Amino acid sequence: MKKLALHWQILIGMLAGLLFGFIALQFGWAEFVGNWIKPLGTIFVKLLKLIAVPLIVASLIKGISDLKDISKFKNIGVRTILIYIGTTVIAITLGLLLVNVLQPGEGISEATVDKLTNTYASSSGVTSKVAEAAKQKSSGPLQFLVDMVPDNAMNAMSNNKAMLQVIFFTIFFGISMLLIGEKNAKPLKKFFDSLNDVVLKMVDLIMLISPYAVFALLANVVVTSGDPEILVALLKYVGTVVTGLLLMIGFYCVLVSVFTKKNPLWFLKELSPAQLLAFSTSSSAATLPVTMERVEEHIGVDKEVSSFVLPVGATINMDGTSLYQAVAAVFAMQVLWPEGLSFANQISIVLTALLASIGSAAVPGAGMVMLVIVLESVGFPKELYPVALALIFAVDRPLDMLRTTINVTGDATVSMIVAKSVGKLHDHPKAKDWDDHYDEVK
């Protein structure tokens, strides 16, 4: 009997998790889900994060060391950053257009605002986001450059939030390997080539439990969801964000079709396991190992390109999150501060959301920290920050899941475009499985 494709296994796990979550919610089994089901999902996410840094180090050093000409790496880097900036600006602009046309803030009553404020404004989730945003805002204009350079490589590699520091060190290390000559670098190159193969095999093994893990993750999301009445009240806002995110998927499909001449539906099918995991985990960083595996082994992007484009994208390219920033900021202003909705302020939102996305961590909840920074840039009253976050807090988790899916799709799209532009997009990639060498050791 033919084994069910991975994306179907994960999708079935997701649907089963949602269904079980709703049943558990009705019968009051939330504690059972938290104690006995949630841990499987937590372990799965920790396993993915466990191998994220080793995978970045091994694959990026392998990609750079395989280059014979450093100028190729410069071309890849420049194209990657420019395309990422371009797609992010388009995402923010699209979000602003939708929120101004659909006006989701007009349907929110004062009673709903009061209820949201009383429920969430003083919660630790909201207050911690305001405090973190204030900390980031107090930094100097070039602080993001300072933060990119680690003072201790081991410390950077022990912190998944320091992904840019790991990338900086790894690129520095890889280029230095090239400069000592092929003969001197050969032992190190063999080590990192082998390490890369081992970590990719770890990805294959971890993915064996992915259908069960997404079941656990989504069941827990459902049983910990907020008041259904509040969700209904915010339906127009949610619909505006979701419409924008779906339009971004369409935009990516157009880019794939035009620039790589590949079938967009084929692209989405091959990437779908990474998209489904991004939806379940709400973390680009946790999904990165799977994204790299799908893009390299199933879509055909050469490691020279994917090993740079994808880790950088997981850190600085957040199209879905940036679109959400634009919608959420204007939505909050429509409800709480309508006099601030000037054209100049909306241009400021574009620029601030772009810069904030570069320094934002690829972890769940980072979007709300970015939102405070965006609101501050337009002069939004500080005393209303908790109320503004409370407005969207109830629906932030499901929207976080959706926008992380868009972030991952954007990273994969750009990797394909860059690979095609430098002749590194292969037509017949060879996918590996966890048991390829099992006969040798059993």
Side-chain angles (χ1 to χ4, degrees):
M1 183 178 176
K2 188 177 178 181
K3 186 172 69 172
L4 200 62
L6 180 61
H7 60 277
W8 287 116
Q9 294 180 43
I10 296 175
L11 185 59
I12 290 170
M14 289 175 64
L15 295 174
L18 290 170
L19 179 61
F20 181 80
F22 283 118
I23 293 172
L25 201 58
Q26 294 299 317
F27 287 92
W29 298 345
E31 186 176 350
F32 171 81
V33 171
N35 290 336
W36 296 98
I37 294 178
K38 180 186 175 184
L40 175 61
T42 304
I43 291 169
F44 177 72
V45 173
K46 291 179 76 171
L47 284 171
L48 288 173
K49 290 182 176 179
L50 171 71
I51 63 173
V53 170
L55 181 60
I56 289 172
V57 172
S59 63
L60 192 47
I61 289 177
K62 175 176 170 54
I64 294 173
S65 62
D66 285 342
L67 292 170
K68 303 302 179 187
D69 184 356
I70 294 180
S71 65
K72 288 183 180 178
F73 182 73
K74 182 182 73 174
N75 290 337
I76 291 171
V78 171
R79 293 177 195 198
T80 299
I81 300 301
L82 290 177
I83 297 172
Y84 276 151
I85 290 173
T87 59
T88 302
V89 170
I90 288 170
I92 298 167
T93 305
L94 178 60
L96 286 175
L97 287 172
L98 285 172
V99 75
N100 279 287
V101 170
L102 298 178
Q103 299 281 325
E106 289 190 353
I108 304 297
S109 66
E110 285 190 22
T112 302
V113 174
D114 290 340
K115 186 174 184 180
L116 287 164
T117 303
N118 294 333
T119 306
Y120 297 109
S122 59
S123 69
S124 59
V126 167
T127 54
S128 64
K129 300 294 187 296
V130 175
E132 178 62 28
K135 181 182 174 183
Q136 290 191 23
K137 187 68 179 176
S138 63
S139 305
L142 296 181
Q143 187 61 38
F144 75 97
L145 289 177
V146 175
D147 291 341
M148 281 176 57
V149 183
D151 56 8
N152 187 312
M154 295 301 107
N155 282 348
M157 291 180 193
S158 66
N159 182 5
N160 277 349
K161 294 182 180 180
M163 204 74 79
L164 275 179
Q165 293 188 356
V166 174
I167 294 168
F168 177 89
F169 170 77
T170 308
I171 291 173
F172 192 23
F173 189 95
I175 291 174
S176 299
M177 272 181 64
L178 280 180
L179 294 175
I180 66 172
E182 189 174 348
K183 182 180 178 182
N184 290 332
K186 191 172 181 180
L188 264 180
K189 187 178 185 310
K190 282 187 174 181
F191 169 77
F192 283 109
D193 286 355
S194 180
L195 178 62
N196 182 68
D197 289 339
V198 170
V199 178
L200 285 175
K201 188 60 65 177
M202 292 173 76
V203 176
D204 292 335
L205 291 170
I206 292 170
M207 289 302 288
L208 293 176
I209 66 167
S210 58
Y212 312 101
V214 298
F215 168 87
L217 289 166
L218 291 183
N220 183 65
V221 167
V222 173
V223 299
T224 56
S225 60
D227 186 342
E229 290 182 13
I230 290 177
L231 301 184
V232 171
L234 295 175
L235 205 54
K236 193 174 179 182
Y237 160 68
V238 172
T240 304
V241 176
V242 172
T243 300
L245 297 178
L246 291 175
L247 289 174
M248 283 304 296
I249 289 284
F251 173 63
Y252 295 140
C253 288
V254 171
L255 291 180
V256 167
S257 179
V258 171
F259 290 100
T260 71
K261 309 303 179 186
K262 299 285 186 180
N263 186 331
L265 296 180
W266 167 83
F267 163 67
L268 293 176
K269 174 179 172 290
E270 296 301 329
L271 186 64
S272 57
Q275 292 174 314
L276 294 171
L277 286 180
F279 180 82
S280 303
T281 63
S282 300
S283 172
S284 300
T287 312
L288 181 59
V290 181
T291 309
M292 293 182 74
E293 188 261 349
R294 299 305 299 186
V295 166
E296 291 168 11
E297 297 184 13
H298 297 264
I299 293 176
V301 174
D302 195 281
K303 188 173 289 294
E304 288 179 16
V305 176
S306 63
S307 60
F308 175 78
V309 176
L310 294 175
V312 170
T315 310
I316 72 169
N317 181 55
M318 298 193 175
D319 292 347
T321 305
S322 298
L323 183 146
Y324 154 84
Q325 300 305 315
V327 175
V330 175
F331 169 71
M333 292 165 73
Q334 287 172 349
V335 177
L336 302 171
W337 192 51
E339 61 270 25
L341 287 168
S342 65
F343 179 75
N345 276 350
Q346 300 209 31
I347 293 297
S348 180
I349 288 173
V350 173
L351 297 174
T352 310
L354 174 62
L355 293 174
S357 69
I358 294 173
S360 178
V363 295
M368 292 189 73
V369 177
M370 290 170 60
L371 177 60
V372 176
I373 296 171
V374 171
L375 288 173
E376 186 163 346
S377 72
V378 297
F380 191 83
K382 290 188 176 182
E383 65 273 12
L384 293 178
Y385 287 168
V387 184
L389 292 189
L391 268 178
I392 63 170
F393 192 81
V395 293
D396 185 65
R397 182 58 198 271
L399 291 181
D400 199 3
M401 296 160 74
L402 289 168
R403 62 187 186 246
T404 304
T405 306
I406 304 303
N407 294 342
V408 167
T409 308
D411 296 344
T413 301
V414 173
S415 73
M416 284 185 73
I417 294 171
V418 173
K420 182 69 174 180
S421 70
V422 295
K424 295 290 183 179
L425 184 61
H426 308 300
D427 289 328
H428 303 289
K430 187 179 183 300
K432 299 175 184 177
D433 207 346
W434 73 271
D435 57 354
D436 286 346
H437 300 278
Y438 184 63
D439 290 339
E440 301 172 18
V441 295
K442 70 177 181 180

